[in-house]
Amino acid sequence: GTGRVFALSFCWAGDVRHAAVSSQANVPSVCQPCGSDERMEWSLGGVAQACEDCTDRECRGIDDGYYFSAINASAPLENGIEYELDVTTVALSGRRNTQTTPAFKVDWTPPETGLVLDTFFGNSSTCMYCNDDIDVNTNATYLAATWCCGWQDLESQVVSYSVAFGTEP
């Protein structure tokens, strides 16, 4: 052998490697934390040599786990269209790996409503108005409603209905 000893600093997440001189350390690089909390910077650690700017994403601390998020507030999303997101990770060596999210559909419109009627409940064979909206109910033992015609959501489909009875809308 040559008698030489090589050393490498492997930093914790949130720290980056910086060159060191022999008067500071006995290894060629040391780990130093990324900027202060006011600077909003973070690193993945390891052999990272640069801190990442966290201004437009959520950078989490080591106690939070290693999750990052990003926001694109200017993406031209269209209602009713399905989208997927690709996340690509790039290693220091330059190798890449991409993961794609499951497809999701943009739906910022509410469902369309149909017709709701307060109706008669009982033997309708002798009732002339049973399929019409009633204005007065002379039976104080029930409330009944029917709905039909036009309930739909073209982007994500109607999955349930909720009915409430009361004295106010």
Side-chain angles (χ1 to χ4, degrees), residues 112-128:
E112 294 177 27
T113 58
L115 181 63
V116 178
L117 304 173
D118 48 325
T119 58
F120 173 78
F121 177 76
N123 183 357
S124 60
S125 64
T126 60
C127 179
M128 295 176 50

Side-chain angles (χ1 to χ4, degrees), residues 44 86-92 94-99:
L44 293 176
D86 291 337
V87 177
T88 302
T89 181
V90 181
L92 189 59
R95 297 185 69 169
R96 298 170 174 263
N97 193 356
T98 299
Q99 180 70 36

Side-chain angles (χ1 to χ4, degrees), residues 81-164:
I81 304 297
E82 284 194 353
Y83 294 90
E84 297 174 338
L85 299 176
D86 291 337
V87 177
T88 302
T89 181
V90 181
L92 189 59
S93 66
R95 297 185 69 169
R96 298 170 174 263
N97 193 356
T98 299
Q99 180 70 36
T100 302
T101 66
F104 63 93
K105 186 182 282 189
V106 173
D107 181 4
W108 58 67
T109 60
E112 294 177 27
T113 58
L115 181 63
V116 178
L117 304 173
D118 48 325
T119 58
F120 173 78
F121 177 76
N123 183 357
S124 60
S125 64
T126 60
C127 179
M128 295 176 50
Y129 61 88
C130 294
N131 293 326
D132 298 333
D133 186 47
I134 61 174
D135 296 323
V136 176
N137 184 358
T138 58
N139 187 335
T141 61
Y142 74 89
L143 295 171
T146 60
W147 59 94
C148 73
C149 319
W151 298 87
Q152 64 180 351
D153 189 323
L154 298 176
E155 290 79 28
S156 59
Q157 306 307 315
V158 173
V159 295
S160 68
Y161 296 93
S162 296
V163 179

